[in-house]
Amino acid sequence: MGRDKFARQSLGPSLHSHIKQARVLMVGAGGIGCELLKNLALTGFGNIHIVDLDTIDLSNLNRQFLFRHEHIKKSKSLVAKESAGKFNPHVNIEAHHANIKDPQFNIDWFQSFAIVFNALDNLDARRHVNKMCLAADVPLIESGTTGFNGQVQVIKKGRTECYDCNIKETPKSFPVCTIRSTPSQPIHCIVWAKSYLFTEIFGISEDEAPELDHTESSENAEEIENLRKEAQALKNIRKSMGLEEFPKKVFEKVFKEDIDRLLSMKDMWANRRAPEPLEWEKLTQEALGVGPTVAQQDQSVWTTSENFVVFCDSLRRLSNRLEELRANANVGNAPPVLSFDKDDVDTLDFVAAAANLRSYIFGIETRSKFDIKQMAGNIIPAIATTNAMTAGLCVLQAFKVMKDEYDKAKMIFLARSVDRVISSEPLHPPKPECPVCSVAQTKLEVDTSRATLKDLVENFLKLELGYGEEFSVSTDAGILYDPELDDNLPKKFSEVGIKGDSFITVIDEEDDNPRVNLVLSIAEKPISEGDKVINLPTKLEIPRKPKADVAATNGNGITATNGVQDSLSDGFKRKREAEDLSNEDVQRRKMAKVAEGGPSKVPAPVDDVIVLDDDGSAGHIIIDDD
Ligand SMILES: Nc1ncnc2c1ncn2[C@@H]1O[C@H](COP(=O)(O)OP(=O)(O)OP(=O)(O)O)[C@@H](O)[C@H]1O
Ligand SMILES: [Zn+2]
């Protein structure tokens, strides 16, 4: 009771009773989710639904404080409900151990909430919830953290940018020539060891590795051909796996012969430091007395001979493992392979030592195994404090949303900074060219067992809505109809995978004054014989697309690079191109270049610029209920 009294005093009676009665949804019960659920329960939100598809892992326990050792392998959402329920017995929590993309969580279900909180770790689920909240016209508080960086964004249909208004960049890939011929940073050598050398020896093929960009231009085509030959020669060496001379063969191939070949291309080294090949015999001598246990020292930077010893030893360990798998494999099955896993010590030792040996050759700084683990595993450690701050800011923004004070709501950024840790900017209006939110949207009642695509295209879109000839119809699965693709017209909705709660997008492709995209959400409705099989229950107006010049103002949300995991992508950082900003904006915005590695153990994104928005007017965020 006491807590309730204080919450009432600080929030005011009206907001307090509003949040007590409202139903809210929290998607994701991980790092941010645990903090958020605790905040929601303690501030007096009365009805909370949680959705999480995962179970608890040992590695979650250091920051996801609603979970204890005895909960490992149990459902995150159910345990979160149990633990947070104890903080406030008056709160009604419902837990769903499920994927938020499951069909049971349809638009009507989303519509039953006053507000939705995203506490997710991947782009796909975030985009889905964004789309559902727009369709249901429910406000969404989107949040994300990476290391010391965090972001909170308020999204409301028609009033603010949506999650997809800013394009998200996909994880970084590296040109194959940088990795294979001209590395200049530790990450290049790590990607080489992990995505090229490791896979060529123990895995399938380099062509499978997503971190290598094989796009050929006329200048590099010849070199790429040479690199292919080089890889083929390595494949041949693979045949001697298990033999005594195997480590020496691999070593001499990749650290001597391949380097000698590169050296012979004089032009390549005219303006670069030329690589220096390593000698097997010389290193063998130098490494006398170094034992393989040095691999356990993961915080120190190993010497060349220590890397040499770990390289040979881990190569033997992995070869033995693969040989054993092969011996036990069933004939007829695909041959067994090994894959890199940062938590698999043999694979990590190999990648760390091989990357460092290559770094010596190219005069690049070497790294400790600990650092290499972070970089190769694309990990930026989660920081509990950032999650806690971000979750707190989510709730403060939610209060503004619940009071319908969108003018006071803000987009908030957290960053590791001596200057200002929290900065903010006002919410931006929806981007007119956004393919997700700047669309006309309506519900369509359809008898999907009877309606055909022709009913939709000819009778509904052309006759009823007045579309011309140039438009396309698609679903998540791809394009179903356009003027050149009319094979599907006789097919029923059910035959092309459209059912209740599916979305259909209609894109007007007329040159002259086209309509904005139309998103139709399908409501399944049996319709009696003789009646129209497709019905529009509410009146619909489809605005025309804004003229082309607005397209240039498209902002550019950016994800962390360096192939870092999804959780940090997801738009926690925003980068705007200079030309997008007015002069005044440019002055207000603060640019922080994060150098790779940096003084901390955290490998920062490699070569991108984070633009932090600095709220020049107010100077700071007032953490109160203004
Ligand atoms: N489609 C989805 N439906 C429901 N829950 C999801 C979905 N996608 C992700 N999640 C949940 O969102 C949560 C995100 O939390 P967090 O970023 O802390 O990730 P984590 O997996 O718990 O930790 P980490 O990735 O840092 O090891 C996870 O608990 C995850 O299960
Ligand atoms: Zn949008």
Side-chain angles (χ1 to χ4, degrees):
M1 263 304 121
R3 178 176 299 126
D4 205 44
K5 185 174 143 216
F6 294 129
R8 191 179 165 84
Q9 271 176 354
S10 30
L11 300 179
S14 150
L15 178 61
H16 181 246
S17 81
H18 189 19
I19 65 169
K20 211 167 177 173
Q21 280 152 23
R23 274 161 60 93
V24 304
L25 168 63
M26 188 183 94
V27 193
I32 297 178
C34 283
E35 294 285 343
L36 185 56
L37 184 61
K38 172 256 298 170
N39 293 348
L40 293 173
L42 291 180
T43 42
F45 281 80
N47 299 287
I48 308 167
H49 281 242
I50 319 166
V51 180
D52 196 301
L53 48 68
D54 212 357
T55 53
I56 296 157
D57 192 78
L58 175 67
S59 66
N60 299 145
L61 301 186
N62 66 353
R63 63 192 183 286
Q64 298 175 21
F65 72 100
L66 298 177
F67 311 141
R68 296 275 178 273
H69 205 273
E70 65 268 23
H71 297 136
I72 288 173
K73 296 278 167 262
K74 290 193 175 158
S75 155
K76 281 189 169 178
S77 59
L78 296 170
V79 175
K81 169 193 154 121
E82 230 173 79
S83 305
K86 293 186 191 134
F87 300 158
N88 182 353
H90 300 295
V91 65
N92 170 28
I93 303 178
E94 276 199 42
H96 309 262
H97 180 72
N99 188 328
I100 193 61
K101 293 179 82 177
D102 289 348
Q104 80 217 59
F105 306 124
N106 57 17
I107 297 175
D108 288 343
W109 185 77
F110 268 85
Q111 235 151 17
S112 70
F113 296 103
I115 193 166
V116 175
F117 294 88
N118 260 356
L120 286 161
D121 62 352
N122 65 85
L123 194 68
D124 184 52
R126 283 184 160 116
R127 289 192 131 143
H128 177 82
V129 177
N130 177 54
K131 201 164 78 176
M132 297 304 279
C133 287
L134 290 168
D137 197 9
V138 175
L140 167 65
I141 310 280
E142 164 59 47
S143 59
T145 63
T146 304
F148 292 98
N149 297 320
Q151 180 178 322
V152 177
Q153 180 182 7
V154 176
I155 297 172
K156 167 76 176 160
K157 183 184 177 184
R159 297 182 80 156
T160 72
E161 282 178 336
C162 81
Y163 185 66
D164 272 322
C165 273
N166 297 298
I167 297 156
K168 310 290 185 286
E169 199 180 80
T170 45
K172 191 171 179 75
S173 67
F174 299 96
V176 73
C177 288
T178 304
I179 300 303
R180 295 279 299 280
S181 309
T182 53
S184 57
Q185 297 173 17
I187 185 69
H188 298 154
C189 297
I190 295 165
V191 170
W192 174 85
K194 174 188 148 187
S195 299
Y196 168 68
L197 186 62
F198 183 90
T199 16
E200 287 303 329
I201 301 178
F202 302 109
I204 306 167
S205 164
E206 63 158 348
D207 297 331
E208 309 290 322
E211 284 147 320
L212 297 180
D213 177 358
H214 288 85
T215 328
E216 289 180 32
S217 67
S218 51
E219 303 113 66
N220 68 18
E222 191 190 333
E223 175 58 6
I224 289 194
E225 188 43 41
N226 284 332
L227 295 174
R228 279 204 186 104
K229 284 188 197 142
E230 210 169 88
Q232 192 52 46
L234 190 56
K235 278 202 187 89
N236 293 338
I237 291 183
R238 206 173 144 150
K239 292 184 191 129
S240 51
M241 189 177 295
L243 302 179
E244 183 60 30
E245 68 268 23
F246 182 59
K248 183 177 180 198
K249 276 192 168 172
V250 174
F251 181 97
E252 297 209 312
K253 167 84 180 70
V254 297
F255 297 129
K256 171 115 180 68
E257 287 161 33
D258 292 350
I259 305 301
D260 282 338
R261 188 189 71 78
L262 284 176
L263 267 178
S264 69
M265 300 193 305
K266 298 266 184 299
D267 287 353
M268 211 181 246
W269 314 110
N271 300 307
R272 287 190 183 95
R273 176 197 176 281
E276 287 166 16
L278 294 175
E279 302 291 337
W280 171 270
E281 305 300 342
K282 184 163 170 270
L283 276 171
T284 311
Q285 285 304 312
E286 284 171 11
L288 288 173
V290 179
T293 50
V294 68
Q296 288 159 18
Q297 294 169 21
D298 65 348
Q299 301 271 349
S300 57
V301 177
W302 301 330
T303 62
T304 324
S305 28
E306 286 169 341
N307 277 301
F308 175 74
V309 170
V310 178
F311 175 81
C312 297
D313 186 58
S314 57
L315 189 59
R316 277 195 197 97
R317 276 182 269 152
L318 290 166
S319 308
N320 291 343
R321 264 169 66 177
L322 191 54
E323 291 287 288
E324 206 167 304
L325 287 175
R326 282 182 184 151
N328 296 326
N330 290 334
V331 188
N333 286 356
V337 291
L338 299 178
S339 50
F340 174 78
D341 176 351
K342 64 177 175 30
D343 297 318
D344 176 334
V345 76
D346 298 339
T347 67
L348 179 63
D349 283 351
F350 177 80
V351 166
N356 278 337
L357 289 172
R358 186 162 172 87
S359 288
Y360 283 119
I361 291 173
F362 286 90
I364 299 166
E365 178 196 347
T366 53
R367 292 290 174 101
S368 70
K369 180 165 117 179
F370 179 88
D371 279 354
I372 291 174
K373 179 175 179 179
Q374 313 283 311
M375 293 166 88
N378 300 330
I379 304 167
I380 291 186
I383 308 283
T385 320
T386 317
N387 285 340
M389 289 168 78
T390 301
L393 291 163
C394 288
V395 178
L396 291 175
Q397 292 307 309
F399 290 153
K400 297 180 189 180
V401 168
M402 300 293 276
K403 291 199 287 181
D404 201 21
E405 291 178 344
Y406 286 93
D407 49 334
K408 292 188 181 161
K410 289 187 173 126
M411 173 94 120
I412 306 199
F413 302 91
L414 289 184
R416 187 180 197 183
S417 161
V418 283
D419 195 10
R420 179 175 297 156
V421 172
I422 302 177
S423 53
S424 72
E425 64 177 73
L427 300 177
H428 297 266
K431 290 252 158 67
E433 68 283 8
C434 174
V436 178
C437 70
S438 287
V439 296
Q441 200 153 29
T442 194
K443 196 187 250 187
L444 212 55
E445 290 171 355
V446 185
D447 189 335
T448 58
S449 61
R450 288 174 48 210
T452 62
L453 214 52
K454 185 165 178 220
D455 292 321
L456 178 78
V457 168
E458 298 294 337
N459 300 341
F460 180 70
L461 292 171
K462 288 189 184 169
L463 289 178
E464 209 168 320
L465 297 188
Y467 273 80
E469 292 299 320
E470 299 291 324
F471 64 90
S472 67
V473 174
S474 54
T475 63
D476 280 350
I479 297 191
L480 294 176
Y481 166 84
D482 68 23
E484 273 82 53
L485 175 77
D486 55 8
D487 315 4
N488 291 325
L489 285 179
K491 291 189 185 153
K492 300 214 172 74
F493 274 36
S494 49
E495 292 174 272
V496 289
I498 306 174
K499 45 188 193 307
D501 297 312
S502 296
F503 287 97
I504 296 179
T505 304
V506 182
I507 301 177
D508 190 354
E509 280 156 4
E510 294 291 342
D511 293 337
D512 200 23
N513 207 13
R515 295 163 174 83
V516 298
N517 297 357
L518 171 64
V519 174
L520 302 165
S521 58
I522 305 301
E524 176 70 67
K525 192 165 182 200
I527 291 168
S528 32
E529 208 57 54
D531 288 341
K532 275 198 300 180
V533 285
I534 298 181
N535 286 291
L536 183 65
T538 47
K539 199 168 169 305
L540 171 68
E541 284 206 17
I542 313 174
R544 302 285 162 168
K545 273 187 189 154
K547 298 275 177 252
D549 54 19
V550 285
T553 64
N554 195 1
N556 181 16
I558 109 160
T559 68
T561 55
N562 199 7
V564 243
Q565 67 183 28
D566 233 352
S567 61
L568 52 118
S569 49
D570 308 18
F572 89 92
K573 282 182 281 165
R574 312 177 78 239
K575 183 174 122 181
R576 283 158 190 278
E577 284 157 19
E579 60 271 27
D580 292 346
L581 307 172
S582 68
N583 281 340
E584 190 190 277
D585 271 347
V586 173
Q587 278 165 15
R588 285 203 297 120
R589 284 167 209 272
K590 197 167 55 178
M591 300 181 72
K593 173 96 178 142
V594 181
E596 192 211 345
S600 75
K601 296 274 182 217
V602 184
V606 181
D607 56 3
D608 54 337
V609 173
I610 303 171
V611 179
L612 300 172
D613 287 284
D614 194 356
D615 187 346
S617 52
H620 62 285
I621 296 169
I622 302 161
I623 303 202
D624 71 4
D625 183 38
D626 57 15

